[in-house]
Amino acid sequence: MKRLGPVLQFLGCAQGQWRVSALWVQDSADAVPVLTAGGRPVQVTQAPVPGQACTAWRFEFAVAQGAAAQDVGYSIGGEVHAFCVPARDTLPALGYASCNGFSDPRAMKSVKAPYAQWARLARLHRGQERVEGQTHGPLHLLLLGGDQVYSDAMWVMVPELKAWSALPWDKRLKAAFTAGLRRKVEEFFGKLYLERWSQPEVAAALASLPTVMMWDDHDIMDGWGSYPVEQHQCAVYQGIFEVARAAFALFQRQAIGALPPATLPGQDQHNSACRIGALGLLVLDMRSERCPRATRTQDGVELLQAEQVLSPRSWAAVYQWLAEQEAAGGLRHLFVMSSVPVVHPGLELIEKLLGALPGQQEMEDDLRDHWDSPPHRAERLRLIHRLLQLSARGVRVTLLSGDVHVAALGVIESAREDGGEGNARIINQLTSSAIVHPPSSAMEVFVLEHVARHVEQIDRGISTRMLEFPATSHCVMARRNFLTLQPDAPDGAGRYWANWWVEGEPHPYTKVIHPAGAPA
């Protein structure tokens, strides 16, 4: 009996071969499923689903790109599906979404049609929704930028965790992550993925759009990596992280038998990148290595470990990949997936305003995760400098972010080494959040709007700021949404049209992303 799938994943593109994998989960481990694509069966590997009496199967195959886009049909388990492969040497059409769930499980019952945005995404992809006479499909890839599932309910639904949470602080820190507790947490995460991704609207999109996924905190636990060091390092938190990471590897990265090919050299299952002709896609894992400030003693000397988002080893792998793309040439546009926005209203300004607004503890907790949090600013500045360096060499760089439960548009501008602000190098940030989670509250939006227009000078000649959301007079759009990125030139050097599809709006909000060397 089927439990989940198929879930498509994009593995990269090389020598005109569009490579994908498909994940299928069923009860029986004995009856080997068969996936047929183009009339041919494909190779399959399998692995048990931790905490569940079922088996995951992973299929991998490639499609030769032709002179025109093509629909590729495939079948498995009596189901027939299809996805679209772009023509060779053309830019792909992309979708982007984040926050597929609820941080407060009680909110699920109060939201009408929680998966309505998924249904609209599928209609656009199939060309079943026309806007001003234009069809906005098909899409070729779906980028999912974090919180593909929400684990928040585990503190209530796993009795052992609920009991642990009720212990005094010191006993919680010393408690062991027992084998029995591990089994219960594995059962929770396995069930979470199987249920959330089997919702009809979600399942339809995952079966017809090859995905590129990267997790965020709710795929582990809310605020992971931003807790005090003794809490972060306690056995129960670390045990939950290991279980969540295994589930992420299986369901989101489909890492059965080997790492997905897009993983950067020297990395585990995090930080991936690929080239699709003139387009580059860099996917940053901002949770696996995130950790708070800590000290340890070595040979009688106290050593300080600074807070980090990515480790030095991971940054080295990222920078090496960027250097290789520059050396190879032909890179015209780079999309960088950063689950937490690089550009967002300043932490200090928000904290000052929050001091006068009681009941905003959840928003304050989220702020500790942000790039603008003081411990992360130096790491953020290094990233910005490296991306601006790439921009100065003729590559358009665009950041894609989610997490914050509003849609927004931000910009990084540099007037250094280019003769003045009139020729400033620009990096746009497109924030799309959330596709399922309810939007930020009216009070949170009030706070954001009152600080969003502040220009942050992050270094000499380099600033960040929020822009007015397209076709509006405000900086944040507090309704559920997703993003599509449509190219309008077949030669890989044209513009991208960024369209935010906002719940309740018949037309998208549009921002044009020009090619390198033109206004942003």
Side-chain angles (χ1 to χ4, degrees), residues 153-175:
M154 68 179 166
W155 303 107
V156 175
M157 298 190 65
V158 179
E160 292 83 353
L161 283 181
K162 187 175 181 180
W164 176 83
S165 299
L167 292 173
W169 176 254
D170 60 334
K171 291 187 177 181
R172 271 183 278 163
L173 297 182
K174 295 177 182 178

Side-chain angles (χ1 to χ4, degrees), residues 186-434:
E186 287 177 340
E187 180 182 354
F188 173 84
F189 271 94
K191 185 178 180 181
L192 180 65
Y193 276 96
L194 295 175
E195 288 186 351
R196 293 298 95 211
W197 288 10
S198 290
Q199 300 302 313
E201 300 89 342
V202 180
L206 297 181
S208 61
L209 281 166
T211 59
V212 176
M213 302 192 201
M214 183 47 67
W215 66 349
D216 201 21
D217 57 335
H218 289 278
D219 302 277
I220 310 164
M221 68 173 73
D222 186 18
W224 176 256
S226 298
Y227 292 99
V229 63
E230 63 272 15
Q231 194 172 353
H232 177 83
Q233 293 180 347
C234 78
V236 171
Y237 269 34
Q238 288 295 317
I240 292 171
F241 170 71
E242 290 300 329
V243 171
R245 184 168 65 170
F248 162 72
L250 175 62
F251 289 102
Q252 298 198 36
R253 298 282 280 145
Q254 301 186 13
I256 298 178
L259 291 176
T263 303
L264 291 179
Q267 298 287 280
D268 187 357
Q269 61 205 24
H270 47 272
N271 299 314
S272 60
C274 65
R275 279 287 295 272
I276 308 172
L279 179 70
L281 179 62
L282 175 61
V283 186
L284 300 177
D285 179 354
M286 297 170 56
R287 292 295 166 179
S288 291
E289 299 173 323
R290 182 185 288 257
C291 62
R293 186 175 183 267
T295 59
R296 62 186 178 89
T297 301
Q298 179 177 315
D299 299 328
V301 178
E302 189 176 77
L303 303 177
L304 174 66
Q305 174 188 300
E307 288 195 32
Q308 67 176 29
V309 179
L310 273 70
S311 71
R313 179 181 179 186
S314 288
W315 282 123
V318 168
Y319 296 155
Q320 178 62 32
W321 183 83
L322 290 175
E324 290 172 355
Q325 305 319 303
E326 289 187 78
L331 181 64
R332 300 297 304 274
H333 201 144
L334 175 70
F335 285 111
V336 180
M337 289 173 61
S338 171
S339 58
V340 177
V342 176
V343 180
H344 201 64
L347 177 71
E348 293 177 341
L349 290 171
I350 293 177
E351 286 180 332
K352 288 178 181 178
L353 190 52
L354 283 172
L357 299 172
Q360 297 302 312
Q361 182 62 44
E362 182 177 351
M363 189 175 182
E364 290 182 273
D365 290 342
D366 288 342
L367 291 175
R368 298 192 191 106
D369 273 355
H370 281 203
W371 275 112
D372 189 54
S373 180
H376 303 319
R377 287 176 183 168
E379 194 172 352
R380 172 201 188 207
L381 184 58
R382 290 195 296 271
L383 170 63
I384 289 173
H385 271 285
R386 184 63 184 88
L387 295 179
L388 285 171
Q389 182 184 60
L390 190 66
S391 178
R393 294 172 181 169
V395 178
R396 174 66 71 203
V397 178
T398 303
L399 294 162
L400 301 175
S401 295
D403 181 71
V404 291
H405 303 160
V406 296
L409 174 62
V411 66
I412 301 168
E413 295 173 290
S414 172
R416 298 171 65 160
E417 303 172 3
D418 59 3
E421 293 185 2
N423 297 314
R425 296 194 299 274
I426 291 175
I427 294 174
N428 290 289
Q429 177 185 272
L430 316 177
T431 300
S432 177
S433 177

Side-chain angles (χ1 to χ4, degrees), residues 20-38:
V20 298
S21 64
L23 185 72
W24 176 268
V25 181
Q26 65 183 31
D27 287 330
S28 174
D30 300 323
V32 180
V34 176
L35 186 148
T36 302

